[in-house]
Amino acid sequence: MEETKVLETLRDDYAERYGFRDEATYLYETPRGLSRRVVEEISAIKNEPEWMRQFRLRAYEIFLKKPMPTWGADLSGVDFDRIVYYARPTDRPARSWDEVPEYIKRTFERLGIPEAERKFLAGVEAQYDSESVYSNVREDLARMGVIFCSTDEAVQKYPDLVREYIGTVVSIADNKFAALNSAVWSGGTFIYVPPGVRVEYPLQAYFRINREAMGQFERTLIIADEGAFVHYVEGCTAPIYTEDSLHAAVVEIIVKRGARVRYTTIQNWSNNVYNLVTKRAFAYEEATMEWVDCNIGSKVTMKYPAVYLLGRGAHGEVLSMAFAGDGQHQDTGAKMIHRAPYTTSLVQSKSISKGTGRASYRGLLKVYPGAEHVKANVSCDALLLHDVSRTDTYPTMEIQEQNVHIGHEATVSKVGDEQIFYLMSRGLSEEEAITMIVNGFIEPIVKELPMEYAVEMNRLIALEMEGSVG
Amino acid sequence: MAELTLQKRAPEAEALRALSERLGDPDWLRRLRRQAFEALDGLPFPQPRSRRLDLDWRAFEVLLPEEAPRMEGRRARLQLRNGVPVAEGGAELPEGVVVLDLETALERMPDLLERYLHQAVRFDTDQMTALNAAFRMGGVIIYVPEGVEVSEPIVLQQELTESGVAFFPYTLLIAAPGSRLTVIDELGGPTLDRPALTSGVVELYAESGSVVQYVAVQRWGSHVVDFTTRALHARRDAAVRWVNVSLGARLSRAVIRAHLLEPGVAADLLGLYIVDGDRYIEHDTLQDHIAPHTTSDLLYKGVLRDSALSVYSGLIRVHHGAQRSNAYQANRNLLLSRQARADSIPMLEIEANDVRCTHGASLGPVDEEHLFYLMARGLSRSEAEHLIVLGFLQEVLERIPVERVREEILEDLEAILFPAG
């Protein structure tokens, strides 16, 4: 079939655009493998207070005890003994771009980070392997009390805030990878937005794995105080190696009364990264939490952004887009946990499976007794491009309250011959027709991205099809 | 009618031999029983998803018949009590059509049985199917020869009137190529004081070009813990309507699998369940598209009151190469009380790209606006609720083929949902 050839080259330019590597020299790195000593070393290098050292050690013990998940994607390729848990490229994050070491600067310049910052961002943080190498926030925001820095820096500068919230949304015992992250975490973003402050431009972080067999364990903590608003965008890429890397982040978000947080992820790891991430938000009264989660890269992703709707009238959304190319398994989804009355949630998932790619939607919608007048809707659409492509949908609903309205729908389809025929009869080439159909399919998610990212996403999905029909 | 004395025995190896002896099983069936019995301990127990059940099948006694009357197998209605055929009646069936208890059928058509028995539901699926294969007695076979059309609906009435026992109903339906039939399979009995265990198996074989309507109505007494595994093997161009109605039992877990083996199969899968008190009902469905150009359309609807709990778990699986498959699945639940709960787990596993699959699930209380509308027309609140419930179930009810069956189900649901009125 002609149309099955289309999209075959999508991500074929990954090696050229993102897959390059630096011959980096590290100031410090731990030996491969994990031990109590490695955990203590990481804490010592960071000169952490005792409570954080204890936090790590407790988590390490739990990590040893927790079993690997037996559900979801195949994780048999994860080898905890082969991984480097910590590699430090620089002394401290730079405040101005000029201070960033030359080779790292080159990397991020190739990825377009400084350019993006000049154009439309309120602040940028860049993490290279384990440590943040650059972090900057606009002065006016800093004056209003907005904190935007690496989580390591926050432990030193704002220990009370970090100590109050870290591990409260995602417990260190939540799952094996959350425990691992809690033991060896490094970098990640800390954001605090004071009451009533609206950060009108997105804050951005860019995560880059450079080293082979690297484990990146960033820890992100976002606190939006009452009535605040912030939009945080993260992007991820890595070079292509033969040895697999592991990315196991934990993201905790607290959305206080009346506040709104939007968290956008463009995950474009290379195809040798296991991406196993725990993302969770607590949304209090009248608060809104939105996850916009785009997964294009990685070898295996297991990620189910969650919103715990804890206060009356809270609203949660997950807009999820997954693209599973040859050999990739995107096991993604959403969790909506309704614990308060009059809470609402919306999950919209779109996935595309290409070649032998497999995209799975796995979700949980839970309504606790007493959470009356909940309205929740989950819809999942899957597009299959080839006859060897695979898609799954596993949405679980546990509803323990009667006075609620719950809906779920899922569809699976292919790019229809009739749709292609229609567009071609209007004068489009087959390639243009398929591009248009695929773009239309993901449009509801893409339109939620900041303009620059939407353009990039469309470019990823569409321009790569050039010359692929025939 | 012959008087029956029932002898109770613990389900052990001797009981098994005695059973085979009594029933005069052929060698292959004895072997099958023994295999199933030996496999028992190594097999998983089909634990209900949302209600923990600690159940030891050895605590129940197995029924053994002293003597069973011989059936002709030529009538459209067959009645069994505790696994023993007790009466047949109704219209005369066309030439070659057989409706018989399994024991008699084993004498008359052993080869046919050997070919079909436990092909669709393997005895080693889990402990409950193995128990059925090992200790089953009675059971029913319906056979319609090639090209024969049975216009009268065939009615099976399987009754359990004992408590403290384990009981293993079995229905085997073989629709030869090009045949047509409708079967109503009614399982029921009074509520008794001591618990009973039922583990039923139903195997439906819809050969090429056959048109099969099969309606199972479960009305066990509320002392019964019920497991049932039902499977369909549908061949080229077969058209099947399969309705599962669950009204009784304290706890019921039904596994329903439709295997669409050859192109052109169309399967219409319907379910209706009414649950009250603290009863539990679980449905576990599979729409298994193995061949291309197959269609399955599933609709399961349930109404729950008091602190009843239902679980619906349904998987659409489209195998690699099963192109041009259409599969639809919907589960809708209406909750009449705040303590009632309905879990819904719809799943898709799709390995072919030229397919159309959708699933949907919903639940909610009776809509206040609908109530308001009807009450504004002069109805009382309970009358309005009543009407809305009937309207909700109508979509499934109207697709049940026999008028009498529809009416009896309506009566039952009235009795369960609106006992005062």
Side-chain angles (χ1 to χ4, degrees):
Chain A
M1 297 284 288
E2 290 304 315
E3 76 263 25
T4 60
K5 291 219 166 61
V6 171
L7 286 182
E8 247 160 34
T9 60
L10 177 50
R11 275 172 60 83
D12 279 0
D13 71 340
Y14 190 93
E16 184 193 322
R17 286 179 57 90
Y18 310 107
F20 59 89
R21 61 188 79 168
D22 300 323
E23 294 310 319
T25 46
Y26 294 90
L27 286 178
Y28 181 82
E29 67 176 44
T30 55
R32 288 182 184 224
L34 185 58
S35 64
R36 192 179 166 90
R37 206 169 140 196
V38 167
V39 176
E40 285 185 325
E41 264 181 52
I42 293 171
S43 187
I45 285 163
K46 292 174 180 290
N47 198 18
E48 284 176 347
E50 180 60 18
W51 61 265
M52 182 46 77
R53 199 179 80 93
Q54 291 301 333
F55 177 88
R56 288 178 184 277
L57 290 172
R58 266 203 322 277
Y60 174 66
E61 292 302 322
I62 291 167
F63 164 75
L64 293 179
K65 285 190 205 117
K66 281 262 173 191
M68 286 289 271
T70 50
W71 48 275
D74 176 13
L75 300 180
S76 58
V78 176
D79 184 352
F80 291 111
D81 296 331
R82 298 289 303 160
I83 287 165
V84 174
Y85 287 84
Y86 180 79
R88 181 189 197 114
T90 63
D91 270 346
R92 60 182 174 81
R95 287 284 171 237
S96 97
W97 197 246
D98 295 336
E99 292 172 34
V100 176
E102 198 56 39
Y103 69 94
I104 296 177
K105 200 151 71 180
R106 263 201 320 273
T107 295
F108 285 107
E109 270 163 9
R110 277 181 80 171
L111 297 169
I113 305 307
E115 189 189 359
E117 185 186 4
R118 275 195 302 278
K119 271 191 193 154
F120 71 102
L121 294 171
V124 163
E125 201 214 324
Q127 178 163 343
Y128 191 86
D129 289 335
S130 296
E131 291 287 350
S132 173
V133 293
Y134 173 72
S135 148
N136 187 33
V137 65
R138 276 193 355 202
E139 265 179 37
D140 52 336
L141 290 172
R143 270 202 305 276
M144 282 192 279
V146 175
I147 302 170
F148 177 62
C149 62
S150 81
T151 308
D152 287 300
E153 199 179 335
V155 168
Q156 303 296 338
K157 282 188 173 165
Y158 317 100
D160 296 344
L161 264 178
V162 176
R163 199 175 176 178
E164 185 181 346
Y165 292 106
I166 198 164
T168 60
V169 180
V170 177
S171 138
I172 56 176
D174 191 81
N175 63 72
K176 193 171 183 73
F177 292 95
L180 177 63
N181 174 286
S182 303
V184 300
W185 74 269
S186 183
T189 306
F190 178 83
I191 297 174
Y192 172 77
V193 186
V197 173
R198 298 180 57 82
V199 182
E200 297 293 349
Y201 296 92
L203 296 171
Q204 195 208 27
Y206 202 91
F207 296 93
R208 174 79 180 169
I209 294 179
N210 185 63
R211 202 197 176 289
E212 186 168 26
M214 182 65 208
Q216 190 175 66
F217 306 97
E218 88 266 11
R219 181 104 193 176
T220 290
L221 181 56
I222 298 176
I223 302 146
D225 219 320
E226 292 189 5
F229 167 69
V230 64
H231 182 186
Y232 173 74
V233 186
E234 64 175 3
C236 335
T237 60
I240 297 158
Y241 287 113
T242 50
E243 254 190 293
D244 292 338
S245 289
L246 172 62
H247 175 253
V250 168
V251 176
E252 298 179 278
I253 300 181
I254 291 111
V255 196
K256 294 199 177 175
R257 185 193 168 121
R260 177 174 160 220
V261 172
R262 170 169 280 214
Y263 191 112
T264 300
T265 303
I266 317 272
Q267 181 270 104
N268 193 16
W269 294 118
S270 56
N271 291 0
N272 55 324
V273 174
Y274 282 90
N275 185 44
L276 311 167
V277 175
T278 309
K279 288 183 164 174
R280 193 173 301 160
F282 282 178
Y284 294 93
E285 207 172 321
E286 300 292 336
T288 297
M289 176 66 214
E290 300 155 327
W291 297 100
V292 181
D293 202 47
C294 302
N295 293 290
I296 314 274
S298 82
K299 177 178 188 172
V300 166
T301 287
M302 284 175 74
K303 177 166 54 161
Y304 322 96
V307 185
Y308 282 60
L309 300 142
L310 302 177
R312 190 185 176 91
H315 176 69
E317 269 185 44
V318 173
L319 304 173
S320 172
M321 205 277 275
F323 181 93
D326 267 319
Q328 286 181 286
H329 187 181
Q330 304 282 10
D331 201 278
T332 60
K335 286 190 201 174
M336 289 293 177
I337 314 294
H338 292 262
R339 300 205 71 143
Y342 293 97
T343 48
T344 52
S345 70
L346 181 70
V347 176
Q348 188 172 24
S349 161
K350 298 259 183 187
S351 75
I352 301 167
S353 308
K354 172 197 134 186
T356 59
R358 176 176 174 194
S360 307
Y361 174 85
R362 196 182 299 276
L364 174 65
L365 174 64
K366 186 159 186 162
V367 180
Y368 276 85
E372 284 188 281
H373 305 288
V374 160
K375 284 190 178 149
N377 200 64
V378 179
S379 73
C380 311
D381 300 315
L383 197 60
L384 294 164
L385 297 180
H386 295 117
D387 63 356
V388 291
S389 311
R390 169 162 183 183
T391 183
D392 315 286
T393 314
Y394 307 105
T396 303
M397 284 173 269
E398 290 174 17
I399 315 297
Q400 302 178 4
E401 169 58 51
Q402 171 251 2
N403 203 357
V404 297
H405 286 273
I406 307 293
H408 165 77
E409 278 171 48
T411 66
V412 176
S413 53
K414 68 162 202 161
V415 178
D417 293 339
E418 283 165 36
Q419 293 170 317
I420 295 170
F421 177 79
Y422 175 84
L423 290 171
M424 286 174 75
S425 73
R426 290 285 181 281
L428 271 64
S429 71
E430 184 177 354
E431 184 183 302
E432 288 166 331
I434 295 171
T435 304
M436 186 175 279
I437 292 162
V438 172
N439 275 337
F441 176 76
I442 58 167
E443 157 74 15
I445 311 287
V446 170
K447 73 167 196 248
E448 297 296 331
L449 297 174
M451 172 74 152
E452 285 71 9
Y453 287 91
V455 171
E456 175 72 4
M457 187 61 67
N458 278 332
R459 196 202 64 82
L460 265 174
I461 300 288
L463 297 185
E464 292 298 321
M465 294 189 213
E466 270 176 25
S468 54
V469 172
Chain B
M1 192 197 307
E3 194 61 30
L4 289 170
T5 43
L6 295 160
Q7 186 189 334
K8 292 168 185 171
R9 284 271 184 95
E12 285 150 8
E14 314 86 73
L16 191 70
R17 262 195 303 279
L19 187 69
S20 272
E21 213 59 56
R22 188 79 47 80
L23 299 174
D25 287 344
D27 284 346
W28 63 267
L29 190 55
R30 283 172 196 242
R31 232 179 359 258
L32 179 76
R33 285 190 195 270
R34 211 171 41 243
Q35 272 181 359
F37 180 72
E38 280 161 9
L40 255 173
D41 286 325
L43 292 171
F45 173 68
Q47 188 61 244
R49 282 173 195 266
S50 297
R51 186 167 286 174
R52 175 101 206 137
L53 186 67
D54 293 312
L55 182 123
D56 181 9
W57 53 267
R58 288 182 178 84
F60 298 94
E61 290 176 295
V62 172
L63 293 167
L64 273 183
E66 280 297 322
E67 184 188 346
R70 291 285 145 178
M71 297 288 139
E72 287 300 313
R74 308 276 311 119
R75 301 296 193 119
R77 197 182 79 241
L78 178 63
Q79 235 177 312
L80 293 95
R81 187 172 302 133
N82 305 320
V84 177
V86 290
E88 55 186 341
E92 185 96 1
L93 294 167
E95 188 62 35
V97 178
V98 172
V99 178
L100 256 186
D101 63 286
L102 215 55
E103 274 72 58
T104 314
L106 276 166
E107 291 164 15
R108 284 175 38 183
M109 38 176 58
D111 297 348
L112 189 78
L113 284 174
E114 194 177 355
R115 199 159 73 237
Y116 283 101
L117 214 62
H118 284 295
Q119 296 304 309
V121 177
R122 293 191 51 89
F123 74 81
D124 56 0
T125 307
D126 56 41
Q127 272 188 15
M128 289 298 137
T129 55
L131 271 181
N132 185 294
F135 293 108
R136 171 177 64 227
M137 56 156 208
V140 181
I141 172 175
I142 296 169
Y143 173 74
V144 182
E146 190 160 347
V148 173
E149 193 170 323
V150 185
S151 52
E152 197 70 18
I154 294 168
V155 180
L156 308 176
Q157 290 169 322
Q158 310 195 51
E159 199 184 8
L160 175 66
T161 60
E162 291 285 317
S163 64
V165 296
F167 178 52
F168 308 104
Y170 176 81
T171 304
L172 171 62
L173 185 157
I174 303 161
S179 63
R180 275 171 184 265
L181 81 162
T182 298
V183 175
I184 311 295
D185 196 353
E186 297 180 285
L187 304 147
T191 292
L192 300 169
D193 48 353
R194 286 190 304 155
L197 168 70
T198 59
S199 172
V201 169
V202 174
E203 299 188 88
L204 308 176
Y205 298 93
E207 299 296 345
S208 40
S210 61
V211 178
V212 176
Q213 298 196 87
Y214 174 78
V215 182
V217 186
Q218 183 266 100
R219 295 187 179 92
W220 295 128
S222 43
H223 64 301
V224 171
V225 170
D226 170 55
F227 290 86
T228 175
T229 305
R230 301 171 182 169
L232 162 72
H233 275 189
R235 306 262 167 207
R236 183 176 280 275
D237 297 333
V240 179
R241 171 170 295 177
W242 181 3
V243 190
N244 285 287
V245 179
S246 294
L247 302 168
R250 179 163 66 84
L251 179 147
S252 169
R253 183 176 189 277
V255 175
I256 288 134
R257 301 201 207 107
H259 303 283
L260 315 184
L261 303 173
E262 291 177 7
V265 174
D268 209 4
L269 308 167
L270 298 161
L272 189 155
Y273 46 98
I274 311 287
V275 206
D276 68 337
D278 63 350
R279 296 194 299 119
Y280 174 94
I281 281 188
E282 175 171 337
H283 289 96
D284 206 331
T285 68
L286 172 66
Q287 292 156 267
D288 196 22
H289 290 254
I290 295 164
H293 295 276
T294 46
T295 300
S296 68
D297 188 357
L298 180 143
L299 175 65
Y300 270 63
K301 284 193 146 188
V303 181
L304 294 94
R305 53 170 284 179
D306 306 329
S307 53
L309 172 57
S310 81
V311 175
Y312 171 81
S313 154
L315 172 63
I316 294 176
R317 190 162 65 196
V318 179
H319 290 247
H320 181 59
Q323 298 289 29
R324 309 263 160 171
S325 286
N326 289 335
Y328 308 101
Q329 181 195 84
N331 171 231
R332 315 258 174 235
N333 296 286
L334 191 61
L335 307 181
L336 300 186
S337 85
R338 297 194 48 172
Q339 287 75 39
R341 178 180 147 195
D343 291 351
S344 204
I345 311 162
M347 294 171 283
L348 300 173
E349 287 178 1
I350 313 296
E351 294 182 53
N353 68 325
D354 192 358
V355 299
R356 207 170 291 140
C357 299
T358 67
H359 69 185
S362 67
L363 88 166
V366 174
D367 193 310
E368 281 298 325
E369 282 177 32
H370 296 178
L371 277 176
F372 176 80
Y373 176 85
L374 290 170
M375 286 164 76
R377 293 284 179 285
L379 271 65
S380 74
R381 195 178 172 89
S382 69
E383 285 168 338
E385 196 174 86
H386 203 130
L387 213 55
I388 290 168
V389 169
L390 293 183
F392 174 76
L393 294 173
Q394 193 58 30
E395 206 181 344
V396 176
L397 275 172
E398 69 189 10
R399 286 154 79 183
I400 294 175
V402 182
E403 173 82 31
R404 174 191 66 86
V405 177
R406 274 200 301 274
E407 277 170 10
E408 284 176 9
I409 292 169
L410 264 176
E411 280 169 27
D412 287 328
L413 80 88
E414 294 273 338
I416 298 169
L417 292 175
F418 308 102

